[in-house]
């Protein structure tokens, strides 16, 4: 339900004309090129006009972007050969199933994340919906602080001032339209203020293991202390996919219409690669062009992160290259079949001397193509009864070409009760004499 008091009247005519004009442009190109949070766009445009003189030809946008390109950044971590070198400040490719980094450069450097920040904003909303703290039909009020004043220099859902919108519409406005107004409104609704919501964001980041991340606001608008890293953002993307399956399809939606204004998703890969189903773009002058992407082909899902490259086209092209390398260089492997007895662990003081060790869950790895996987069993020393079925009693470590590629817990296949006192006394004697 939308309460559309002052609906389109809250949006200046210039903005409506701009949006209408944008609708005539093919969405994949139009929205791939649009900034998500850059407040400096208007001033940059004015500056560029002043710089034009009759003596020099105005450089094309494509030429200017190419001139600002960073030198290619080679992989510092790579689990397979021929990893690409990408002209960005940081980049990463992660296997979704294991969380293992397949290749990366500057993966732990804290950089401005721009609107990639909104992945945490949407994640917190999704978790509140799952826990029942929020309902999709709850109404969120739009304060003057949250309201976008009609400027084209930032991305907006165009929520009318003093209106209300449902939580599910707000969530779509954050994910699809990258709405700063939607992000601020839900932050105020859940925590009273943007600063209060930032505390929730940082607590969640800490829980997820995002060690290089500090959030100051829910939008990603520039602040010197507002930082994240490629690895942290991949960890967050993995959590979104894993923990919010009910809402993850929103990240693949190409457009969303609200307040009579239809806007397209700025992730150009959603229009060109059917295996891509999320996640988020970002751009400010300070952060450059950023993109976190997930794609699934056959049984393999990969997550890629590009931070601070020179154009919207570049972030899309680099993501394609990184995903293409990943899918060509890696494959899925099942080192041990489910239900197979991996080892028999020795026990003390039990009615049985050993207990079978099995996998705690089906185990699938992503490994370099054509390489053999070796496994090593590590059982906990000094196991004593009683042991409950399903208790962790060790682990299996997998390697390929001498490099670790994953590990998984081993659990007890059955309960083992503690033996009677006479048998325990006898076993103590045997231990005493080293038998």
């Amino acid at each position: 339900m939308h309460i559309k008091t002052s609906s389109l009247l809250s949006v200046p005519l210039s903005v409506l004309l701009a949006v209408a004009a944008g609708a005539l442009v093919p969405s994949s190109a139009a929205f791939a090129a649009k900034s998500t949070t850059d407040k400096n766009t208007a001033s940059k445009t004015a500056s560029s006009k002043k710089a034009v003189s009759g003596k020099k030809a105005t450089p094309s946008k494509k030429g200017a972007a190419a001139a600002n390109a960073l030198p290619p950044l080679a992989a510092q971590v790579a689990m397979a050969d021929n990893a690409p070198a990408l002209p960005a400040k940081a980049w990463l490719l992660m296997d979704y199933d294991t969380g293992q980094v397949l290749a990366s450069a500057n993966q732990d450097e804290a950089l401005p994340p721009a609107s990639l920040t909104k992945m945490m904003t949407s994640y917190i909303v999704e978790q509140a919906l799952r826990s029942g703290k929020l309902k999709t039909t709850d109404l969120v009020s739009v304060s003057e602080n949250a309201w976008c004043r009609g400027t084209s220099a930032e991305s907006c859902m165009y929520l009318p001032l003093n209106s209300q919108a449902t939580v599910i519409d707000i969530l779509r406005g954050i994910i699809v339209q990258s709405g700063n107004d939607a992000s601020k409104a839900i932050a105020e609704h859940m925590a009273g203020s943007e600063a209060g919501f930032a505390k929730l964001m940082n607590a969640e980041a800490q829980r997820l293991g995002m060690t290089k991340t500090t959030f100051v606001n829910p939008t990603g608008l520039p602040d010197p202390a507002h930082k994240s890293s490629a690895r942290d953002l991949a960890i967050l993307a993995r959590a979104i996919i894993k923990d919010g399956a009910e809402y993850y399809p929103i990240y693949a939606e190409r457009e969303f219409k609200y307040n009579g204004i239809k806007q397209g998703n700025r992730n150009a890969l959603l229009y060109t690669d059917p295996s891509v189903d999320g996640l988020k773009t970002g751009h400010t002058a300070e952060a450059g062009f950023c993109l976190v992407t997930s794609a699934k082909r056959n049984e393999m899902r990969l997550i890629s992160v590009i931070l601070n490259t020179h154009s919207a086209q570049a972030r899309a092209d680099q993501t394609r290259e990184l995903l293409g390398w990943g899918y060509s260089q890696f494959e899925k492997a099942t080192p041990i079949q489910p239900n197979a007895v991996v080892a028999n662990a020795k026990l003390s003081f039990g009615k049985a001397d050993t207990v079978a060790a099995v996998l705690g869950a089906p185990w699938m790895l992503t490994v370099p193509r054509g390489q053999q996987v070796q496994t090593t069993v590590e059982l906990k020393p000094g196991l004593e009864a009683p042991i409950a079925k399903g208790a962790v009693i060790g682990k299996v470590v997998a390697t390929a070409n001498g490099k670790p590629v994953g590990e998984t817990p081993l659990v007890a296949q059955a309960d083992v009760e503690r033996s009677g006192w006479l048998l325990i006394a006898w076993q103590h004697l045997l231990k005493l004499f080293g038998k």
Side-chain angles (χ1 to χ4, degrees):
M1 175 181 179
H2 308 310
I3 301 176
K4 292 193 175 180
T5 56
S6 72
S7 59
L8 297 181
L9 297 178
S10 299
V11 184
L13 179 60
S14 61
V15 173
L16 294 178
L17 291 174
V19 171
L24 299 176
V25 182
S27 56
S28 59
F31 295 115
K34 185 176 179 182
S35 164
T36 62
T37 56
D38 189 3
K39 278 189 169 180
N40 299 318
T41 302
S43 60
K44 285 168 68 181
T45 302
S47 299
S48 63
K49 287 182 178 178
K50 289 179 182 179
V52 174
S53 68
K55 296 180 181 179
K56 293 184 179 180
T58 304
S60 68
K61 290 182 179 179
K62 188 176 290 186
N68 293 327
L70 295 166
L73 183 61
Q76 295 157 351
V77 173
M79 287 181 56
D81 296 333
N82 304 316
L86 304 175
K89 282 195 176 178
W91 59 266
L92 175 144
L93 185 67
M94 176 182 283
D95 173 50
Y96 166 75
D97 289 323
T98 63
Q100 188 157 18
V101 175
L102 305 180
S104 69
N106 289 348
Q107 64 178 12
D108 290 319
E109 183 177 352
L111 295 167
S115 278
L116 301 183
T117 298
K118 293 177 181 128
M119 295 195 326
M120 179 59 85
T121 305
S122 60
Y123 179 70
I124 289 176
V125 175
E126 291 160 23
Q127 297 315 297
L129 286 168
R130 288 183 66 215
S131 68
K133 292 180 181 178
L134 289 177
K135 295 180 180 178
T136 56
T137 54
D138 287 348
L139 293 175
V140 178
S141 298
V142 183
S143 69
E144 187 169 357
N145 175 65
W147 176 52
C148 278
R149 289 160 176 75
T151 173
S152 61
E154 63 173 326
S155 53
C156 301
M157 182 179 169
Y158 295 114
L159 293 161
L161 176 62
N162 297 324
S163 68
Q164 291 181 310
T166 62
V167 167
I168 193 64
D169 279 346
I170 289 285
L171 184 60
R172 280 194 163 85
I174 295 168
I175 295 171
V176 181
Q177 296 175 335
S178 196
N180 289 340
D181 48 358
S183 301
K184 292 176 183 179
I186 198 66
E188 292 172 350
H189 181 81
M190 293 185 68
S193 66
E194 291 186 69
F197 191 78
K199 292 180 180 178
L200 299 180
M201 298 171 77
N202 288 321
E204 200 63 27
Q206 186 175 14
R207 184 186 71 83
L208 293 173
M210 299 169 64
T211 60
K212 303 296 182 180
T213 295
T214 302
F215 293 119
V216 177
N217 59 59
T219 59
L221 287 168
D223 186 288
H226 195 96
K227 304 283 186 179
S228 191
S229 69
R231 176 155 53 181
D232 282 1
L233 291 164
I235 290 170
L236 175 57
R238 188 173 179 235
I240 288 172
I241 300 166
K242 182 180 178 182
D243 299 338
E246 182 179 355
Y247 303 102
Y248 183 62
I250 297 174
Y251 293 82
E253 292 182 8
R254 296 182 181 181
E255 62 184 30
F256 178 51
K257 185 176 183 179
Y258 189 82
N259 195 16
I261 301 170
K262 183 168 69 174
Q263 297 185 69
N265 197 312
R266 294 171 178 83
N267 186 351
L269 296 177
L270 291 175
Y271 305 89
T272 59
D273 186 341
S275 71
V276 170
D277 54 15
L279 291 154
K280 192 75 188 70
T281 60
H283 173 239
T284 63
E286 182 185 20
F289 290 85
C290 309
L291 179 58
V292 176
T293 302
S294 182
K296 187 174 183 180
R297 301 178 191 175
N298 299 319
E299 295 298 317
M300 191 188 303
R301 178 179 287 281
L302 299 179
I303 295 168
S304 66
V305 181
I306 303 292
L307 294 184
N308 201 327
T309 191
H310 57 282
S311 70
Q313 184 67 49
R315 73 186 175 193
D317 290 343
Q318 290 169 31
T319 299
R320 288 189 191 95
E321 184 176 359
L322 193 52
L323 290 173
W325 174 81
Y327 284 113
S328 68
Q329 294 294 321
F330 295 90
E331 62 185 352
K332 285 295 182 183
T334 303
I336 299 171
Q337 294 300 316
N339 303 319
V341 175
V342 179
N344 286 297
K346 290 184 177 181
L347 284 177
S348 297
F349 315 130
K351 289 186 176 180
D353 294 331
T354 62
V355 63
V358 296
L359 296 179
W363 190 29
M364 185 174 286
L365 294 173
T366 299
V367 298
R369 287 187 181 276
Q371 290 192 9
Q372 295 295 317
V373 177
Q374 292 81 37
T375 58
T376 304
V377 175
E378 298 179 11
L379 296 172
K380 290 183 177 180
L383 288 171
E384 296 183 2
I387 292 287
K389 180 180 179 180
V392 175
I393 57 175
K395 65 180 180 180
V396 183
V397 178
T399 58
N401 199 26
K403 297 179 181 179
V405 292
E407 62 179 56
T408 193
L410 288 173
V411 301
Q413 190 180 45
D415 295 324
V416 179
E417 296 180 9
R418 195 168 177 87
S419 59
W421 69 270
L422 284 174
L423 185 55
I424 290 174
W426 175 248
Q427 290 176 339
H428 271 297
L429 283 173
L430 291 176
K431 277 195 169 185
L432 185 63
F433 291 103
K435 295 184 179 180

